[in-house]
Amino acid sequence: MTYSLRLYVSDDTTPEQRRAAERLFRQALESALGDAALVAPVYAAYQGIVAQHGETPDPEALTTDERMVLEHWQLAESAALQAVFGPHRHLDEGGYEIGLPA
């Protein structure tokens, strides 16, 4: 299962800089999850958890598997965002969108 990625960066970012940032984001995300093939299924599972339990679910309300998926995704997402935007990232400094196949 593959995925698409779109980074939201400042308007003065060149296409080359955007591609380099997207490559960095992918590398960090895939490395943190263990393999590129895991991004789409883990993200899909994460989206399901968020849809059922909200953006910041109570860990006690989750099953062990849900908690593990949530924690793995959050760690991978954090690593990817830090790789692109740095350790002192603020919420308004950019974001991302992952697209999954239908």
Side-chain angles (χ1 to χ4, degrees), residues 28-83:
L29 187 64
E30 294 166 4
S31 176
L33 290 173
D35 190 80
L38 294 174
V39 174
V42 172
Y43 184 66
Y46 165 78
Q47 285 185 311
I49 293 166
V50 168
Q52 184 176 359
H53 298 280
E55 284 292 321
T56 54
D58 176 10
E60 298 300 317
L62 303 176
T63 66
T64 301
D65 289 342
E66 289 173 327
R67 194 170 27 254
M68 185 170 56
V69 167
L70 181 71
E71 290 171 1
H72 277 91
W73 180 260
Q74 289 174 333
L75 289 171
E77 176 188 52
S78 178
L81 289 169
Q82 185 170 333

